[in-house]
């Protein structure tokens, strides 16, 4: 198995997004530095971001009080806890059956053993003592194998959409120094969790590339199954398996028992049967108007932002290294956020209504400089196109949020890749033409949010 990279995470996510389970994580294991967090991993109500490596880092949780262990790094100014009743949380323990395989749309699967009738096709379980082979005749592909299946956790997105979000980017960037780009903060409303897993992806510059993955299962004396995986391709290919061995000793768990018990009182259902490996996220993606962002990060200065309106549509939907309020260096170095107070003597009407959402010339009253931050690709997600459009069409709105349900519903079974931005927005508008860009929610902090679609539950 080769070492994985951020590009592997990008390919994996982009390919499996089409399966409409939510956002696929290349790193399912808990991404946290406390024993308490690692017991459950991702929780409903988490606010955080996807790292370039494909993990989800939780910054705080809106279901917990500020003094709760999960919020030990603090909470944003104006934070308000959201109480979620147990009956509002849905647990589907066998949503993904044991042995399930999820692949990118271009994959073809077959059984490797003729004495078993179950074909190893995408989305169907692998039976005991059998193998399966998946092939791709494409430049990219991805695969997820769930030996024990996986549970689905869900909650009504409407429970969270009135959260006070306006200070979240300020908290992430100025308090926690995470350099989270605008449009990259997520509020988790559901997820899929498992124990053992395998994730794999490949990518080639050739349009006629060919790749094959073999999955083999063998019985063990203990009664379980042992799986092995083999890529057969000339293209760069990699896979990861988990869960990794726990880094928490029994003594560490015992010494944190009171904190874990307190955490479990709130998040009792967030790691069913000990499943703390998160394979898919479903969430709101949050984007601020750049003028709102400038006022949050400081006042009396100029924001240096990159134009997204002049980018090619495939770059807008996929990834762009240029993001609001950040200047990227050419390589990774540890750095800090510095702010200057160069005032501007003039302002543009675009401060209120910006025809080009991320236009350098549209904002003239703020200057934020990120001294040195990583030049890393941003995780792929179609919700950026929705949020950008909502802010453009609603000049009086400060915040736009789009849920994964929004873009999942416009994808079609025959799609083998994401439509370009123009087609994507056209489909979305057709689906939600009666309310697209018109649904407004007033938050408890006085700000207004544009919702991409209304949720009744």
């Amino acid at each position: 198995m080769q070492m994985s990279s951020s590009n592997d995470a990008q390919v994996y996510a982009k390919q499996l997004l089409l399966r409409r389970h939510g956002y696929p994580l290349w790193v399912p294991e808990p991404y946290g530095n406390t024993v308490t967090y690692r017991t459950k991993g991702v929780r409903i109500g988490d606010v955080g971001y996807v790292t370039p490596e494909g993990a989800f880092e939780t910054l705080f949780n809106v279901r917990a009080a500020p003094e709760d262990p999960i919020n030990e790094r603090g909470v944003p100014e104006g934070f308000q806890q959201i109480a979620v009743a147990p009956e509002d949380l849905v647990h589907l323990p066998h949503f993904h059956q044991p042995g399930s395989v999820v692949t990118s749309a271009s994959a073809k699967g077959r059984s490797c053993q003729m004495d078993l009738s179950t074909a190893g096709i995408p989305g169907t379980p692998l039976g005991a003592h059998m193998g399966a082979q998946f092939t791709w005749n494409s430049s990219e592909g991805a695969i997820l194998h769930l030996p024990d299946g996986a549970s689905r956790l869900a909650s009504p997105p409407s429970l969270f959409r009135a959260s006070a979000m306006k200070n979240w980017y300020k908290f992430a960037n100025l308090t926690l120094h995470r350099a989270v780009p605008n449009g990259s903060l997520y509020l988790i409303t559901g997820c899929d969790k498992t124990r053992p897993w395998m994730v794999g992806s490949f990518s080639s510059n050739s349009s006629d590339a060919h790749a094959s993955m073999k999955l083999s299962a063998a019985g063990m004396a203990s009664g379980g199954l042992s799986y092995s995986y083999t890529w057969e391709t000339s293209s760069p290919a990699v896979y990861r398996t988990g869960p990794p061995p726990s880094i928490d000793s029994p003594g560490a768990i015992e010494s944190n028992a009171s904190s874990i018990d307190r955490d479990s009182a709130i998040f009792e259902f967030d790691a069913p049967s000990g499943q703390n490996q998160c394979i898919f996220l479903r969430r709101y993606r949050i984007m601020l108007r750049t003028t709102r962002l400038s006022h949050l990060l400081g006042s009396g200065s100029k924001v240096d932002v990159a134009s997204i309106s002049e980018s090619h549509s495939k770059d807008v939907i996929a990834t762009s290294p240029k993001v609001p309020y950040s200047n990227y260096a050419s390589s990774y170095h540890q750095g800090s956020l510095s702010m200057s107070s160069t005032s501007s003597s003039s302002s543009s009407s675009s401060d209120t209504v910006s025809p080009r959402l991320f236009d350098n010339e549209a904002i003239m009253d703020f200057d934020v400089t990120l001294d040195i931050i990583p030049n890393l690709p941003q995780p792929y997600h179609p919700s950026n196109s929705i949020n950008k459009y909502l802010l453009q069409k609603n000049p009086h709105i400060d915040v736009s949020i789009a849920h994964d349900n929004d873009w999942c519903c416009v994808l079609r079974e025959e799609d083998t890749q994401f439509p370009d931005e123009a087609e994507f927005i056209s489909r979305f508008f057709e689906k939600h033409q009666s309310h697209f860009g018109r649904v407004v929610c007033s938050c408890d902090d006085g700000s207004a949010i544009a919702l991409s679609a209304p949720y009744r539950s």
Side-chain angles (χ1 to χ4, degrees), residues 21-76:
H21 292 299
Y23 191 87
L25 290 178
W26 179 250
V27 180
E29 54 263 46
Y31 193 85
N33 61 359
T34 67
V35 176
T36 301
Y37 178 80
R38 288 190 292 267
T39 59
K40 296 179 179 63
V42 175
R43 297 152 165 81
I44 290 176
D46 277 356
V47 175
Y49 66 103
V50 175
T51 71
E53 297 81 17
F56 182 78
E57 180 176 9
T58 298
L59 303 180
F60 61 94
N61 189 288
V62 298
R63 290 168 58 198
E67 65 275 8
D68 191 83
I70 200 69
N71 290 330
E72 67 176 9
R73 289 182 291 191
V75 295

Side-chain angles (χ1 to χ4, degrees), residues 57-279:
E57 180 176 9
T58 298
L59 303 180
F60 61 94
N61 189 288
V62 298
R63 290 168 58 198
E67 65 275 8
D68 191 83
I70 200 69
N71 290 330
E72 67 176 9
R73 289 182 291 191
V75 295
E77 180 183 352
F79 173 85
Q80 292 180 331
Q81 182 181 359
I82 297 176
V84 178
E87 55 268 25
D88 287 327
L89 301 176
V90 177
H91 173 216
L92 303 175
H94 304 295
F95 188 86
H96 300 275
Q97 293 295 315
S100 292
V101 176
V102 182
T103 72
S104 48
S106 58
K108 296 180 180 179
R110 64 180 179 85
S111 172
C112 295
Q113 295 184 3
M114 302 305 295
D115 57 339
L116 294 175
S117 59
T118 303
I121 60 175
T124 62
L126 293 174
H129 303 286
M130 72 170 293
Q133 182 170 353
F134 298 87
T135 60
W136 293 260
N137 291 311
S138 58
S139 60
E140 293 182 344
I143 185 170
L144 165 67
H145 179 215
L146 302 169
D148 291 353
S151 297
R152 172 154 292 188
L153 302 175
S155 64
S158 58
L159 292 177
F160 301 96
R161 66 188 185 192
S163 300
M165 301 177 180
K166 72 176 185 180
N167 290 315
W168 291 3
Y169 278 97
K170 180 180 179 181
F171 178 74
N173 289 288
L174 298 187
T175 302
L176 299 184
H177 307 288
R178 287 301 190 270
V180 180
N182 189 19
S184 297
L185 274 183
Y186 309 129
L187 170 56
I188 305 303
T189 66
C191 57
D192 293 354
K193 287 191 168 183
T194 188
R195 284 185 292 270
W197 47 264
M198 183 277 292
V199 297
S201 70
F202 73 91
S203 179
S204 172
N205 293 325
S206 174
S207 59
D208 58 351
H210 176 85
S212 175
M213 162 67 86
K214 287 185 177 179
L215 283 65
S216 301
M220 298 187 299
S222 62
L225 291 174
S226 174
Y227 292 91
S228 61
Y229 309 96
T230 306
W231 275 116
E232 294 182 355
T233 175
S234 59
S235 305
V238 66
Y239 70 88
R240 304 181 67 245
T241 59
S246 174
I247 63 175
D248 299 318
S249 66
I253 294 175
E254 182 177 356
S255 64
N256 286 272
S258 61
S259 177
I260 294 173
D261 289 343
R262 182 178 176 182
D263 182 75
S264 296
I266 300 175
F267 305 106
E268 178 182 0
F269 304 104
D270 289 77
S273 302
Q275 295 175 324
N276 66 350
Q277 310 286 298
C278 184
I279 52 174

Side-chain angles (χ1 to χ4, degrees), residues 308-319:
I308 200 170
S309 61
E310 298 174 358
S311 302
H312 190 279
S313 60
K314 66 181 179 66
D315 296 323
V316 173
I317 292 181
T319 176

Side-chain angles (χ1 to χ4, degrees), residues 316-334:
V316 173
I317 292 181
T319 176
S320 174
K322 295 181 178 181
V323 295
Y325 69 82
S326 64
N327 293 322
Y328 280 93
S330 59
S331 60
Y332 181 87
H333 299 280
Q334 293 292 334

